[in-house]
């Protein structure tokens, strides 16, 4: 494997700790925790003795085989009825093996093996079957015992099937007789059909071998010499470690395969759900932008007022100064209303102040549009919740989702108003109050004043008197010129305000529809989905390391 066994187990442990709302992984987490505990235990037992379990139905000769291996009458035997209720553990002297209340027998026939004689696997006694399961959970090598009359019982295979790939297995035909053909081919072909991998096959007569060994004679019937060599010589320390590691890797592979089937296979649903979330956010952003545009950006006088304020601050020359005075007189009623005791600033004044001075607009906007936005939010969230439920998510707590959305929305609007919108208003004000524009506006009044003064001086030196009508006409013409220029300036100001308002509306629309991590809305759903996607990616990585590596 590309990564170490321990690193992969740590990844599995992190997945097993998942407690989020994605049910496929959360439902798998208890099984993962069990597998991780067993994997960690097996990792620590790589240098321990090899634990061998003798498994089979009643009367197949498991206890007789144990006695034959030990060369002594260790376990009670019977040809006709079950006689093993408590496992007999045959172990080397001084070996440490946690076996609870099982029967422990110390011997020196095999110094590197712990052999356990189990109760019958086809027993109808629940406690006996549970004991067999405990033995199988603790063992490394399973010797499947069978006789020519009994080797395909379903009760035994129901215990062994879950352990395929997780335990090394060998078959032992315990009651071979010369006059009867071997069941080897049929037995092995049946196991192969069910996906079992068998380490070896041994045809013995355990009873005859036990009798010869009790008499002190050397047993040589059938495959006993090969079986004895397998236990004593082939199962070296290196082979034992390989078996233990193979079993651990088999359990790891099966765990990851189950994880892929139950969790990894649901990853495409998360991709589709991410698309649904993106579409819901875009639809919500479009609806919200429409509401804000109708309630705020449709007020043209707000932008004209803002631009007038900026022009007043930067006014130069005669006409611009007169425009500033005219604007102050025009806005005097609004300012006086704001100074009256108990009065409050108008909605227009608050928005204009926020636009011009970087004041947070969020709370003001909440009063204006929160009801409409909440209605749109709940509508889109309802359809999105159905998509999350179909993808295997629990119902998400959205008690803070809407509040988070309106907070972020208010900040986003305020950023647009303080940023690009204000910059455009200031830019238009700079253009309208620049010295070329101020000079151009002042040319008419100054030229007329110069002409009038020249005419007065010339008339004076000619010793003539000016008529009262001349002065009146001059004042009227000057007023007409100034009024015309003020109207032109006002028209330019309103055109600038219109352009700034439209550009700000586009900026707001783009800001609300920002993709990716900057998208607004449905934060609990987005967080749950991001977490699930991260877990699915961790599963994919494990599959690549373990299954694809095979």
């Amino acid at each position: 494997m590309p990564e170490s066994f321990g690193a992969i187990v740590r990844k599995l442990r992190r997945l097993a700790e998942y407690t989020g709302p994605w049910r496929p992984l959360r439902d798998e987490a208890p099984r993962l925790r069990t597998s991780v505990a067993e994997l960690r235990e097996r990792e620590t037992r790589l240098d321990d003795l090899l634990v061998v379990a003798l498994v089979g139905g009643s009367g197949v000769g498991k206890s007789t085989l144990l006695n034959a291996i030990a060369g002594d009458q260790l376990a009670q035997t019977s040809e006709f009825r079950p006689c093993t209720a408590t496992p007999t553990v045959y172990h080397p002297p001084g070996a440490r093996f946690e076996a609870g209340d099982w029967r422990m027998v110390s011997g020196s026939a095999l110094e590197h093996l712990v052999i356990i004689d189990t109760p019958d696997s086809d027993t109808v006694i629940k406690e006996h079957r549970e004991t067999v399961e405990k033995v199988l959970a603790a063992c490394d090598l399973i010797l499947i015992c069978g006789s020519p009359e009994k080797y395909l019982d379903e009760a035994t295979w129901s215990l062994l099937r879950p352990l395929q790939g997780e335990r090394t297995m060998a078959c032992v035909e315990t009651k071979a007789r010369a006059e009867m053909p071997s069941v080897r081919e049929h037995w092995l072909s049946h196991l192969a059909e069910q996906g079992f991998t068998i380490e070896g096959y041994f045809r013995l007569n355990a009873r005859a071998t036990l009798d010869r060994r009790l008499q002190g004679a050397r047993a040589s019937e059938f495959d006993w010499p090969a079986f004895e060599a397998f236990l004593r010589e082939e199962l070296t320390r290196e082979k034992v470690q390989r078996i233990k590691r193979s079993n651990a890797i088999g359990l790891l592979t099966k765990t990851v395969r189950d994880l892929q089937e139950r969790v990894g296979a649901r990853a495409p649903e998360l991709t589709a759900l991410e698309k649904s979330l993106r579409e819901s956010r875009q639809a919500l952003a479009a609806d919200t932008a429409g509401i804000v545009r109708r309630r705020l950006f449709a007020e043209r006088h707000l932008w004209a007022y803002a631009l007038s304020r900026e022009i007043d601050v930067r006014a130069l020359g005669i006409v611009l100064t007169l425009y500033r005075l005219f604007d102050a007189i025009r806005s005097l009623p609004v300012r006086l209303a704001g100074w009256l005791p108990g009065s409050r600033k108008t909605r227009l004044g608050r928005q204009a102040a926020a636009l011009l001075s970087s004041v947070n607009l969020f709370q003001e906007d909440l009063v204006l549009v929160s009801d409409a936005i909440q209605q749109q939010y709940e509508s889109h969230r309802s359809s999105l919740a159905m998509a999350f439920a179909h993808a295997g998510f629990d119902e998400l707590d959205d008690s803070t989702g809407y509040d988070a959305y309106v907070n972020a929305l208010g900040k986003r609007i305020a950023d647009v108003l303080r940023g690009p919108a204000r910059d455009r208003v200031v830019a238009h004000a700079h253009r309208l109050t620049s010295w070329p524009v101020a000079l151009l506006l002042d040319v008419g009044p100054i030229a007329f004043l110069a002409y009038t003064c020249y005419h007065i001086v010339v008339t004076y030196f000619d010793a003539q008197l000016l008529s009262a009508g001349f002065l009146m006409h001059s004042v009227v013409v000057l007023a007409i010129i100034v009024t015309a220029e003020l109207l032109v300036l006002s028209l330019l100001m309103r055109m600038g305000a219109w352009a700034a308002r439209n550009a700000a509306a586009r900026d707001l629309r783009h800001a609300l529809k920002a993709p990716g991590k900057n998208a607004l809305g449905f934060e609990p759903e987005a967080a749950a989905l991001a977490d699930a996607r991260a877990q699915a990616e961790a599963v994919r990585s494990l599959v690549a390391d373990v299954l694809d590596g095979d």
Side-chain angles (χ1 to χ4, degrees):
M1 295 182 182
E3 288 194 76
S4 68
F5 182 86
I8 295 176
V9 172
R10 286 192 292 272
K11 286 185 176 181
L12 282 173
R13 184 181 61 185
R14 286 193 291 270
L15 286 170
E17 294 171 351
Y18 178 79
T19 57
W22 192 34
R23 288 193 304 273
L25 180 56
R26 196 184 65 231
D27 293 345
E28 187 66 16
R31 286 187 288 268
L32 275 180
R33 288 192 288 270
T34 300
S35 297
V36 167
E38 184 175 353
L39 286 168
R40 291 171 66 86
E41 180 185 1
R42 288 184 173 277
E43 187 179 15
T44 61
R45 291 197 292 113
L46 292 177
D47 295 327
D48 291 351
L49 300 176
L50 188 72
V51 180
V52 181
L54 307 180
V55 179
S58 59
V60 297
K62 302 184 298 298
S63 299
T64 303
L65 178 61
L66 175 62
N67 293 338
I69 293 172
D72 198 359
Q73 194 73 39
L74 301 180
Q76 183 180 359
T77 63
S78 172
E79 294 286 339
F80 305 105
R81 60 182 178 82
C83 60
T84 303
T86 301
T88 299
V89 181
Y90 180 58
H91 63 89
R96 299 181 59 185
F97 182 78
E98 299 294 334
D101 57 353
W102 297 350
R103 180 169 175 259
M104 307 292 292
V105 178
S106 176
S108 59
L110 297 171
E111 297 180 354
H112 57 292
L113 301 181
V114 174
I115 303 177
I116 306 176
D117 177 24
T118 66
D120 299 320
S121 56
D122 57 354
T123 179
V124 296
I125 303 176
K126 179 181 178 182
E127 290 76 9
H128 290 185
R129 189 173 178 86
E130 292 175 350
T131 300
V132 177
E133 292 176 345
K134 292 179 181 179
V135 174
L136 292 177
C139 74
D140 304 303
L141 171 64
I142 300 175
L143 296 182
I144 309 172
C145 301
S147 64
E149 298 83 9
K150 193 174 188 178
Y151 62 93
L152 296 178
D153 59 291
E154 178 59 27
T156 299
W157 305 127
S158 66
L159 291 172
L160 298 180
R161 281 194 194 95
L163 300 178
Q164 294 183 61
E166 300 179 22
R167 302 290 188 277
T168 302
M169 301 183 188
C171 291
V172 181
E173 185 181 338
T174 58
K175 296 184 177 181
R177 294 192 295 272
E179 65 275 12
M180 293 185 63
S182 175
V183 298
R184 175 190 180 100
E185 298 300 327
H186 185 259
W187 196 358
L188 292 180
S189 63
H190 181 77
L191 292 175
E193 290 175 359
Q194 300 196 27
F196 285 91
T197 299
I198 301 302
E199 180 76 13
Y201 187 98
F202 303 97
R203 187 170 184 247
L204 315 172
N205 189 307
R207 172 60 61 184
T209 299
L210 175 60
D211 292 341
R212 292 181 64 83
R213 296 200 66 183
L214 289 176
Q215 296 171 8
R218 180 177 180 79
S220 59
E221 290 84 3
F222 302 103
D223 294 337
W224 178 261
F227 178 67
E228 193 171 29
F230 172 75
L231 296 178
R232 293 180 180 276
E233 300 173 10
E234 292 186 30
L235 295 180
T236 60
R237 178 172 294 277
E238 292 75 13
K239 181 65 176 291
V240 167
Q241 287 187 343
R242 284 199 299 271
I243 289 175
K244 288 176 174 288
R245 181 164 290 276
S246 175
N247 292 344
I249 292 177
L251 174 59
L252 176 62
T253 301
K254 183 178 180 181
T255 300
V256 173
R257 184 176 291 112
D258 291 343
L259 189 63
Q260 165 63 11
E261 293 175 356
R262 297 167 183 162
V263 179
R266 304 288 297 270
E269 297 179 8
L270 299 181
T271 302
L273 186 59
E274 188 173 30
K275 180 180 178 182
S276 298
L277 176 62
R278 184 168 59 252
E279 293 174 349
S280 296
R281 279 178 155 177
Q282 290 175 351
L284 177 63
D287 292 340
T288 302
I291 294 171
V292 174
R293 188 169 57 251
R294 290 191 299 271
R295 301 294 297 276
L296 176 63
F297 289 86
E299 298 186 8
R300 296 176 177 84
H301 55 281
L302 169 64
W303 302 89
Y305 177 79
L307 184 54
S308 296
R309 291 283 301 276
E310 292 295 331
I311 293 175
D312 293 346
V313 173
R314 297 167 176 81
L316 298 173
I318 299 173
V319 176
L320 287 174
T321 301
L322 290 174
Y323 179 84
R324 178 180 179 182
L325 179 62
F326 171 75
D327 188 60
I329 296 173
R330 184 181 59 181
S331 61
L332 181 60
V334 175
R335 289 186 283 115
L336 288 176
W339 294 337
L340 292 176
S343 67
R344 300 177 61 183
K345 284 188 177 181
T346 64
R347 174 169 170 264
L348 174 60
R350 292 197 302 270
Q351 293 170 340
L355 175 65
L356 294 172
S357 60
S358 301
V359 174
N360 191 342
L361 190 60
F362 163 67
Q363 292 183 357
E364 305 297 335
D365 183 72
L366 178 64
V367 174
L368 293 175
V369 299
S370 61
D371 292 340
I373 290 179
Q374 185 172 11
Q375 183 179 1
Q376 293 295 336
Y377 184 90
E378 295 298 335
S379 175
H380 290 292
R381 183 180 179 275
S382 178
S383 59
L384 186 61
M386 294 181 61
F388 268 80
H390 291 159
F393 283 81
D394 293 334
E395 183 176 358
L396 300 175
D397 180 14
D398 194 50
S399 58
T400 60
Y402 175 72
D403 292 339
Y405 175 66
V406 293
N407 280 327
L409 175 63
K411 183 179 185 302
R412 194 71 58 92
I413 295 174
D415 289 341
V416 170
L417 294 177
R418 295 192 188 107
R422 177 178 172 81
D423 292 343
R424 287 188 178 89
V425 170
V426 172
H428 284 295
H430 273 297
R431 283 192 289 269
L432 291 176
T433 58
S434 61
W435 68 265
V437 174
L439 182 61
L440 184 63
L441 291 172
D442 289 345
V443 165
I446 291 175
F448 182 78
L449 286 173
Y451 169 76
T452 302
C453 292
Y454 171 78
H455 186 72
I456 293 172
V457 171
V458 170
T459 303
Y460 174 79
F461 282 104
D462 287 343
Q464 298 179 7
L465 295 175
L466 290 174
S467 64
F470 173 79
L471 294 176
M472 183 182 299
H473 291 160
S474 297
V475 171
V476 171
V477 171
L478 180 62
I480 292 174
I481 294 174
V482 172
T483 301
E485 292 193 349
L486 288 176
L487 290 176
V488 171
L489 180 60
S490 179
L491 178 62
L492 293 175
M493 181 272 295
R494 292 188 178 279
M495 291 177 60
W498 176 82
R501 178 180 63 85
N502 289 344
R506 290 195 299 271
D507 292 336
L508 178 65
R509 186 166 56 252
H510 294 155
L512 297 185
K513 291 185 177 181
K517 294 181 179 179
N518 293 324
L520 291 178
F522 311 117
E523 294 301 327
E525 289 82 357
L529 178 57
D531 190 17
R533 288 296 299 268
Q535 305 301 329
E537 176 59 25
V539 173
R540 188 206 62 77
S541 176
L542 279 172
V543 171
D545 290 338
V546 178
L547 301 185
D548 296 348
D550 292 343

